Amino acid sequence: MSDTMTRPATGGGKATRPMIEVKDAHKSFGAIEVLKGIDLSVERGQIVAIIGPSGSGKSTLLRSINHLESLDRGEIWLDGVQVNAPLTGKAFERHINAVRQRMGMVFQHFNLFPHLTVMENVTLAPRLLQGLSGEAVRARAEKLLDKVGLADKAEAYPSRLSGGQKQRVAIARALAMEPKVMLFDEATSALDPELVDEVNLVMKQLAQEHMTMLIVTHEMRFAGEVADRVLFMDGGVVVEEGPPDRIFTAPKAERTRAFLRKYLRD
Amino acid sequence: MDLDLMIKVTPFFVEAAWVTVQISVLSLVLGLAMGALGAWARLGRSRPLRVLGGAYVSLFRGTPCLIQLFVLYFGGPQVGINLDPFTAGVIGLGVNIGAYMTESIRGAILAVERGQTEAARSLGLSRGQAMRRIVLPQAARLMIRPLGVNSVALIKGSALVSTISVVELTYTAQRFIGSTYKPFEMFAIAAVLYMAIIYGAIRCVQWLDARHAID
Ligand SMILES: Nc1ncnc2c1ncn2[C@@H]1O[C@H](COP(=O)(O)OP(=O)(O)OP(=O)(O)O)[C@@H](O)[C@H]1O
Ligand SMILES: [Mg+2]
């Protein structure tokens, strides 16, 4: 077992606790209930892929985990700390800012900061939030940019990068905070097909390093390759979950079968 | 056209143009401050402040600037506000243009993609940090042009303060018409000088716009 997997939990949680735990998550937008009681747990070092048709609530679930959406009911836990803690006002603000520093999020549309260079994109948060010296942060950023293969783009502005390069910078930016988990919301859906692999490669590398990851994806092949567990969502509920082999070859639910038939055909 | 007369009175007009520049710059500064405050109120989390900001915009955009100046300058003394014409002019114009600035600044901030704030917040930045480091620098670029348009409108609108006897360009033109009976010449000089001031303002805006052009 790797060091990452045996390291005792920090943040007050027991070592046996899941890294991410979602309990009975409910969320409505107006009259439409988008999450209808989701339970989910991701162990330390585990990689879980979430698949499901458009509008099934995958993004909403992921966004709820780092509180970009707030649940109507239910609990979200990160390594023994309740993300949607019952606090209010300034106390909750402080709490959520601290919790978010422990979770990296990668968006479909990259959301790089266009007025900052690649280097500044990566160093901004650690410089502001971790009180490190400029040199230490720079060194960390250089290492990360090297890891995602963009060391030579440090001084470029995002507008000069391809989509694949942008997404790799976005991953480096999230990693710069040294998060405990990484959340990916369709990281490659907005990319031209020939740029998908370079991003997938970076994610696979993270998987080898036992980063805990929750990945929303439409790419069944990629999910099969990296995920320890696949979770199929439809209509705001988890229809079924299990190891990728079983989900892809012997799905139990008719809904899963129908979905996979449609996807695996392409 | 009486060219000799025009040349003779031009120095007085230039002096008056300087007053127009002063009143415009001062009310622009006040307007920007009011605009920043107004946008902050309108976009904030406090409902009373949002309502107040909205009321400010509706009131000052929904009534003639001339009436606002009259209320302040002629009505002010009734409630114990005694201002000299210049100060009343600066405050009247500044608070008025501030309502337009509020909407320009607010619009620019709202035009920055939501994903920018979300990315910043997901890294752990506070609301304030996300606003200062991510949203405002991008909004600032989007503000330059609308604020430039407002500034030009402000310079033209500054002619209104002639009605509360501020000795600026328009007032000076009218005064010379009284003694020379040459309205065409006098208003022509004033118009040329207004054009010069506005040209200067537009160049400033273009310079700012180029300097902050998105890479
Ligand atoms: N902010 C919002 N306001 C109102 N409705 C929303 C909002 N966000 C999502 N929804 C709705 O919630 C439902 C679930 O959306 P969600 O984005 O979570 O789906 P998804 O599974 O991620 O879909 P996709 O595969 O297309 O990304 C959709 O019907 C969507 O229209
Ligand atoms: Mg989605």
PDB file of all heavy atoms in Angstrom, chain A residues 18-45:
ATOM      1  N   PRO A  18     -14.411   7.528   5.333  1.00  0.00           N
ATOM      2  CA  PRO A  18     -14.239   7.818   3.908  1.00  0.00           C
ATOM      3  C   PRO A  18     -13.707   9.239   3.714  1.00  0.00           C
ATOM      4  O   PRO A  18     -13.887  10.091   4.580  1.00  0.00           O
ATOM      5  CB  PRO A  18     -15.648   7.706   3.338  1.00  0.00           C
ATOM      6  CG  PRO A  18     -16.513   7.193   4.415  1.00  0.00           C
ATOM      7  CD  PRO A  18     -15.806   7.338   5.702  1.00  0.00           C
ATOM      8  N   MET A  19     -13.059   9.450   2.585  1.00  0.00           N
ATOM      9  CA  MET A  19     -12.544  10.784   2.279  1.00  0.00           C
ATOM     10  C   MET A  19     -13.699  11.731   1.948  1.00  0.00           C
ATOM     11  O   MET A  19     -13.753  12.845   2.413  1.00  0.00           O
ATOM     12  CB  MET A  19     -11.597  10.669   1.085  1.00  0.00           C
ATOM     13  CG  MET A  19     -10.759  11.877   0.903  1.00  0.00           C
ATOM     14  SD  MET A  19      -9.826  12.261   2.386  1.00  0.00           S
ATOM     15  CE  MET A  19      -8.252  12.576   1.682  1.00  0.00           C
ATOM     16  N   ILE A  20     -14.610  11.232   1.112  1.00  0.00           N
ATOM     17  CA  ILE A  20     -15.807  12.019   0.807  1.00  0.00           C
ATOM     18  C   ILE A  20     -17.010  11.172   1.187  1.00  0.00           C
ATOM     19  O   ILE A  20     -17.078   9.993   0.864  1.00  0.00           O
ATOM     20  CB  ILE A  20     -15.922  12.332  -0.700  1.00  0.00           C
ATOM     21  CG1 ILE A  20     -14.699  13.095  -1.203  1.00  0.00           C
ATOM     22  CG2 ILE A  20     -17.201  13.116  -0.989  1.00  0.00           C
ATOM     23  CD1 ILE A  20     -14.673  13.270  -2.708  1.00  0.00           C
ATOM     24  N   GLU A  21     -17.940  11.802   1.871  1.00  0.00           N
ATOM     25  CA  GLU A  21     -19.161  11.085   2.202  1.00  0.00           C
ATOM     26  C   GLU A  21     -20.354  12.014   1.967  1.00  0.00           C
ATOM     27  O   GLU A  21     -20.382  13.133   2.458  1.00  0.00           O
ATOM     28  CB  GLU A  21     -19.117  10.634   3.660  1.00  0.00           C
ATOM     29  CG  GLU A  21     -20.022   9.457   3.902  1.00  0.00           C
ATOM     30  CD  GLU A  21     -19.831   8.875   5.297  1.00  0.00           C
ATOM     31  OE1 GLU A  21     -19.112   9.475   6.107  1.00  0.00           O
ATOM     32  OE2 GLU A  21     -20.441   7.825   5.565  1.00  0.00           O
ATOM     33  N   VAL A  22     -21.290  11.514   1.195  1.00  0.00           N
ATOM     34  CA  VAL A  22     -22.516  12.262   0.937  1.00  0.00           C
ATOM     35  C   VAL A  22     -23.661  11.448   1.526  1.00  0.00           C
ATOM     36  O   VAL A  22     -23.777  10.258   1.255  1.00  0.00           O
ATOM     37  CB  VAL A  22     -22.734  12.459  -0.581  1.00  0.00           C
ATOM     38  CG1 VAL A  22     -24.048  13.177  -0.850  1.00  0.00           C
ATOM     39  CG2 VAL A  22     -21.571  13.223  -1.202  1.00  0.00           C
ATOM     40  N   LYS A  23     -24.460  12.102   2.354  1.00  0.00           N
ATOM     41  CA  LYS A  23     -25.554  11.385   3.004  1.00  0.00           C
ATOM     42  C   LYS A  23     -26.890  12.029   2.664  1.00  0.00           C
ATOM     43  O   LYS A  23     -27.118  13.186   3.029  1.00  0.00           O
ATOM     44  CB  LYS A  23     -25.376  11.421   4.531  1.00  0.00           C
ATOM     45  CG  LYS A  23     -24.131  10.706   5.033  1.00  0.00           C
ATOM     46  CD  LYS A  23     -24.047  10.854   6.553  1.00  0.00           C
ATOM     47  CE  LYS A  23     -22.765  10.278   7.097  1.00  0.00           C
ATOM     48  NZ  LYS A  23     -22.571  10.632   8.509  1.00  0.00           N
ATOM     49  N   ASP A  24     -27.711  11.280   1.964  1.00  0.00           N
ATOM     50  CA  ASP A  24     -29.091  11.679   1.703  1.00  0.00           C
ATOM     51  C   ASP A  24     -29.208  13.104   1.151  1.00  0.00           C
ATOM     52  O   ASP A  24     -29.965  13.923   1.667  1.00  0.00           O
ATOM     53  CB  ASP A  24     -29.907  11.556   3.003  1.00  0.00           C
ATOM     54  CG  ASP A  24     -31.404  11.610   2.723  1.00  0.00           C
ATOM     55  OD1 ASP A  24     -31.818  11.158   1.638  1.00  0.00           O
ATOM     56  OD2 ASP A  24     -32.145  12.117   3.597  1.00  0.00           O
ATOM     57  N   ALA A  25     -28.440  13.372   0.092  1.00  0.00           N
ATOM     58  CA  ALA A  25     -28.407  14.733  -0.457  1.00  0.00           C
ATOM     59  C   ALA A  25     -29.652  15.043  -1.280  1.00  0.00           C
ATOM     60  O   ALA A  25     -29.997  14.304  -2.205  1.00  0.00           O
ATOM     61  CB  ALA A  25     -27.159  14.909  -1.320  1.00  0.00           C
ATOM     62  N   HIS A  26     -30.315  16.117  -0.907  1.00  0.00           N
ATOM     63  CA  HIS A  26     -31.482  16.595  -1.653  1.00  0.00           C
ATOM     64  C   HIS A  26     -31.234  18.008  -2.123  1.00  0.00           C
ATOM     65  O   HIS A  26     -30.713  18.841  -1.377  1.00  0.00           O
ATOM     66  CB  HIS A  26     -32.733  16.599  -0.772  1.00  0.00           C
ATOM     67  CG  HIS A  26     -33.251  15.239  -0.469  1.00  0.00           C
ATOM     68  ND1 HIS A  26     -34.281  14.656  -1.163  1.00  0.00           N
ATOM     69  CD2 HIS A  26     -32.864  14.329   0.456  1.00  0.00           C
ATOM     70  CE1 HIS A  26     -34.528  13.452  -0.677  1.00  0.00           C
ATOM     71  NE2 HIS A  26     -33.681  13.224   0.310  1.00  0.00           N
ATOM     72  N   LYS A  27     -31.601  18.278  -3.371  1.00  0.00           N
ATOM     73  CA  LYS A  27     -31.456  19.638  -3.886  1.00  0.00           C
ATOM     74  C   LYS A  27     -32.514  19.900  -4.940  1.00  0.00           C
ATOM     75  O   LYS A  27     -32.704  19.100  -5.856  1.00  0.00           O
ATOM     76  CB  LYS A  27     -30.059  19.813  -4.517  1.00  0.00           C
ATOM     77  CG  LYS A  27     -29.844  21.130  -5.208  1.00  0.00           C
ATOM     78  CD  LYS A  27     -29.743  22.266  -4.216  1.00  0.00           C
ATOM     79  CE  LYS A  27     -29.602  23.610  -4.913  1.00  0.00           C
ATOM     80  NZ  LYS A  27     -29.600  24.721  -3.934  1.00  0.00           N
ATOM     81  N   SER A  28     -33.214  21.005  -4.801  1.00  0.00           N
ATOM     82  CA  SER A  28     -34.195  21.401  -5.811  1.00  0.00           C
ATOM     83  C   SER A  28     -33.832  22.751  -6.377  1.00  0.00           C
ATOM     84  O   SER A  28     -33.275  23.600  -5.681  1.00  0.00           O
ATOM     85  CB  SER A  28     -35.593  21.506  -5.191  1.00  0.00           C
ATOM     86  OG  SER A  28     -35.981  20.265  -4.660  1.00  0.00           O
ATOM     87  N   PHE A  29     -34.110  22.932  -7.642  1.00  0.00           N
ATOM     88  CA  PHE A  29     -34.094  24.266  -8.239  1.00  0.00           C
ATOM     89  C   PHE A  29     -35.536  24.617  -8.516  1.00  0.00           C
ATOM     90  O   PHE A  29     -36.157  24.017  -9.398  1.00  0.00           O
ATOM     91  CB  PHE A  29     -33.284  24.290  -9.533  1.00  0.00           C
ATOM     92  CG  PHE A  29     -31.812  24.070  -9.325  1.00  0.00           C
ATOM     93  CD1 PHE A  29     -31.191  22.914  -9.761  1.00  0.00           C
ATOM     94  CD2 PHE A  29     -31.042  25.039  -8.686  1.00  0.00           C
ATOM     95  CE1 PHE A  29     -29.836  22.722  -9.567  1.00  0.00           C
ATOM     96  CE2 PHE A  29     -29.680  24.854  -8.486  1.00  0.00           C
ATOM     97  CZ  PHE A  29     -29.074  23.697  -8.925  1.00  0.00           C
ATOM     98  N   GLY A  30     -36.082  25.558  -7.755  1.00  0.00           N
ATOM     99  CA  GLY A  30     -37.505  25.858  -7.884  1.00  0.00           C
ATOM    100  C   GLY A  30     -38.310  24.612  -7.562  1.00  0.00           C
ATOM    101  O   GLY A  30     -38.097  23.984  -6.526  1.00  0.00           O
ATOM    102  N   ALA A  31     -39.180  24.227  -8.484  1.00  0.00           N
ATOM    103  CA  ALA A  31     -40.051  23.090  -8.213  1.00  0.00           C
ATOM    104  C   ALA A  31     -39.406  21.764  -8.624  1.00  0.00           C
ATOM    105  O   ALA A  31     -39.937  20.698  -8.329  1.00  0.00           O
ATOM    106  CB  ALA A  31     -41.375  23.272  -8.960  1.00  0.00           C
ATOM    107  N   ILE A  32     -38.261  21.843  -9.309  1.00  0.00           N
ATOM    108  CA  ILE A  32     -37.641  20.612  -9.825  1.00  0.00           C
ATOM    109  C   ILE A  32     -36.627  20.063  -8.840  1.00  0.00           C
ATOM    110  O   ILE A  32     -35.657  20.740  -8.489  1.00  0.00           O
ATOM    111  CB  ILE A  32     -36.928  20.888 -11.163  1.00  0.00           C
ATOM    112  CG1 ILE A  32     -37.893  21.539 -12.157  1.00  0.00           C
ATOM    113  CG2 ILE A  32     -36.352  19.593 -11.740  1.00  0.00           C
ATOM    114  CD1 ILE A  32     -37.182  22.274 -13.272  1.00  0.00           C
ATOM    115  N   GLU A  33     -36.872  18.820  -8.381  1.00  0.00           N
ATOM    116  CA  GLU A  33     -35.912  18.197  -7.488  1.00  0.00           C
ATOM    117  C   GLU A  33     -34.837  17.512  -8.326  1.00  0.00           C
ATOM    118  O   GLU A  33     -35.111  16.585  -9.079  1.00  0.00           O
ATOM    119  CB  GLU A  33     -36.591  17.193  -6.544  1.00  0.00           C
ATOM    120  CG  GLU A  33     -35.671  16.789  -5.415  1.00  0.00           C
ATOM    121  CD  GLU A  33     -36.362  15.942  -4.353  1.00  0.00           C
ATOM    122  OE1 GLU A  33     -37.322  15.239  -4.688  1.00  0.00           O
ATOM    123  OE2 GLU A  33     -35.908  15.990  -3.181  1.00  0.00           O
ATOM    124  N   VAL A  34     -33.617  18.006  -8.200  1.00  0.00           N
ATOM    125  CA  VAL A  34     -32.523  17.546  -9.047  1.00  0.00           C
ATOM    126  C   VAL A  34     -31.731  16.436  -8.369  1.00  0.00           C
ATOM    127  O   VAL A  34     -31.257  15.506  -9.022  1.00  0.00           O
ATOM    128  CB  VAL A  34     -31.604  18.738  -9.408  1.00  0.00           C
ATOM    129  CG1 VAL A  34     -30.390  18.266 -10.177  1.00  0.00           C
ATOM    130  CG2 VAL A  34     -32.382  19.767 -10.209  1.00  0.00           C
ATOM    131  N   LEU A  35     -31.578  16.519  -7.054  1.00  0.00           N
ATOM    132  CA  LEU A  35     -30.973  15.431  -6.287  1.00  0.00           C
ATOM    133  C   LEU A  35     -32.032  14.896  -5.330  1.00  0.00           C
ATOM    134  O   LEU A  35     -32.600  15.652  -4.540  1.00  0.00           O
ATOM    135  CB  LEU A  35     -29.743  15.925  -5.503  1.00  0.00           C
ATOM    136  CG  LEU A  35     -28.600  16.530  -6.318  1.00  0.00           C
ATOM    137  CD1 LEU A  35     -27.457  16.963  -5.391  1.00  0.00           C
ATOM    138  CD2 LEU A  35     -28.090  15.562  -7.373  1.00  0.00           C
ATOM    139  N   LYS A  36     -32.307  13.598  -5.446  1.00  0.00           N
ATOM    140  CA  LYS A  36     -33.416  13.034  -4.670  1.00  0.00           C
ATOM    141  C   LYS A  36     -32.926  12.032  -3.644  1.00  0.00           C
ATOM    142  O   LYS A  36     -33.390  10.898  -3.610  1.00  0.00           O
ATOM    143  CB  LYS A  36     -34.415  12.353  -5.621  1.00  0.00           C
ATOM    144  CG  LYS A  36     -34.990  13.303  -6.662  1.00  0.00           C
ATOM    145  CD  LYS A  36     -35.847  12.550  -7.649  1.00  0.00           C
ATOM    146  CE  LYS A  36     -36.401  13.505  -8.716  1.00  0.00           C
ATOM    147  NZ  LYS A  36     -36.925  12.773  -9.878  1.00  0.00           N
ATOM    148  N   GLY A  37     -31.966  12.458  -2.833  1.00  0.00           N
ATOM    149  CA  GLY A  37     -31.483  11.554  -1.802  1.00  0.00           C
ATOM    150  C   GLY A  37     -30.302  10.737  -2.292  1.00  0.00           C
ATOM    151  O   GLY A  37     -30.433   9.542  -2.559  1.00  0.00           O
ATOM    152  N   ILE A  38     -29.163  11.389  -2.442  1.00  0.00           N
ATOM    153  CA  ILE A  38     -27.958  10.711  -2.931  1.00  0.00           C
ATOM    154  C   ILE A  38     -27.090  10.289  -1.750  1.00  0.00           C
ATOM    155  O   ILE A  38     -26.846  11.087  -0.843  1.00  0.00           O
ATOM    156  CB  ILE A  38     -27.133  11.658  -3.827  1.00  0.00           C
ATOM    157  CG1 ILE A  38     -27.963  12.153  -5.006  1.00  0.00           C
ATOM    158  CG2 ILE A  38     -25.836  10.984  -4.268  1.00  0.00           C
ATOM    159  CD1 ILE A  38     -27.969  11.259  -6.198  1.00  0.00           C
ATOM    160  N   ASP A  39     -26.642   9.043  -1.779  1.00  0.00           N
ATOM    161  CA  ASP A  39     -25.634   8.591  -0.826  1.00  0.00           C
ATOM    162  C   ASP A  39     -24.413   8.164  -1.613  1.00  0.00           C
ATOM    163  O   ASP A  39     -24.536   7.526  -2.650  1.00  0.00           O
ATOM    164  CB  ASP A  39     -26.159   7.411   0.000  1.00  0.00           C
ATOM    165  CG  ASP A  39     -27.236   7.850   0.965  1.00  0.00           C
ATOM    166  OD1 ASP A  39     -26.878   8.479   1.972  1.00  0.00           O
ATOM    167  OD2 ASP A  39     -28.439   7.601   0.677  1.00  0.00           O
ATOM    168  N   LEU A  40     -23.273   8.541  -1.085  1.00  0.00           N
ATOM    169  CA  LEU A  40     -22.049   8.268  -1.840  1.00  0.00           C
ATOM    170  C   LEU A  40     -20.890   8.306  -0.880  1.00  0.00           C
ATOM    171  O   LEU A  40     -20.836   9.157   0.015  1.00  0.00           O
ATOM    172  CB  LEU A  40     -21.874   9.378  -2.896  1.00  0.00           C
ATOM    173  CG  LEU A  40     -20.499   9.577  -3.522  1.00  0.00           C
ATOM    174  CD1 LEU A  40     -20.158   8.418  -4.425  1.00  0.00           C
ATOM    175  CD2 LEU A  40     -20.488  10.875  -4.325  1.00  0.00           C
ATOM    176  N   SER A  41     -19.962   7.358  -1.040  1.00  0.00           N
ATOM    177  CA  SER A  41     -18.755   7.536  -0.256  1.00  0.00           C
ATOM    178  C   SER A  41     -17.547   7.131  -1.082  1.00  0.00           C
ATOM    179  O   SER A  41     -17.592   6.215  -1.896  1.00  0.00           O
ATOM    180  CB  SER A  41     -18.847   6.787   1.076  1.00  0.00           C
ATOM    181  OG  SER A  41     -18.347   5.494   0.928  1.00  0.00           O
ATOM    182  N   VAL A  42     -16.491   7.906  -0.906  1.00  0.00           N
ATOM    183  CA  VAL A  42     -15.256   7.669  -1.640  1.00  0.00           C
ATOM    184  C   VAL A  42     -14.150   7.488  -0.615  1.00  0.00           C
ATOM    185  O   VAL A  42     -13.928   8.364   0.228  1.00  0.00           O
ATOM    186  CB  VAL A  42     -14.910   8.870  -2.558  1.00  0.00           C
ATOM    187  CG1 VAL A  42     -13.663   8.570  -3.373  1.00  0.00           C
ATOM    188  CG2 VAL A  42     -16.076   9.217  -3.457  1.00  0.00           C
ATOM    189  N   GLU A  43     -13.498   6.328  -0.671  1.00  0.00           N
ATOM    190  CA  GLU A  43     -12.414   6.074   0.278  1.00  0.00           C
ATOM    191  C   GLU A  43     -11.160   6.832  -0.134  1.00  0.00           C
ATOM    192  O   GLU A  43     -11.014   7.230  -1.286  1.00  0.00           O
ATOM    193  CB  GLU A  43     -12.101   4.564   0.317  1.00  0.00           C
ATOM    194  CG  GLU A  43     -13.271   3.680   0.696  1.00  0.00           C
ATOM    195  CD  GLU A  43     -13.805   4.000   2.080  1.00  0.00           C
ATOM    196  OE1 GLU A  43     -13.000   4.324   2.971  1.00  0.00           O
ATOM    197  OE2 GLU A  43     -15.044   3.949   2.267  1.00  0.00           O
ATOM    198  N   ARG A  44     -10.284   6.973   0.840  1.00  0.00           N
ATOM    199  CA  ARG A  44      -8.992   7.606   0.578  1.00  0.00           C
ATOM    200  C   ARG A  44      -8.269   6.882  -0.568  1.00  0.00           C
ATOM    201  O   ARG A  44      -8.148   5.666  -0.567  1.00  0.00           O
ATOM    202  CB  ARG A  44      -8.148   7.515   1.855  1.00  0.00           C
ATOM    203  CG  ARG A  44      -6.808   8.172   1.808  1.00  0.00           C
ATOM    204  CD  ARG A  44      -6.150   8.017   3.153  1.00  0.00           C
ATOM    205  NE  ARG A  44      -7.013   8.596   4.197  1.00  0.00           N
ATOM    206  CZ  ARG A  44      -7.001   9.884   4.523  1.00  0.00           C
ATOM    207  NH1 ARG A  44      -6.165  10.699   3.940  1.00  0.00           N
ATOM    208  NH2 ARG A  44      -7.807  10.326   5.450  1.00  0.00           N
ATOM    209  N   GLY A  45      -7.823   7.654  -1.550  1.00  0.00           N
ATOM    210  CA  GLY A  45      -7.076   7.071  -2.660  1.00  0.00           C
ATOM    211  C   GLY A  45      -7.944   6.401  -3.710  1.00  0.00           C
ATOM    212  O   GLY A  45      -7.450   5.909  -4.712  1.00  0.00           O
TER     213      GLY A  45
END
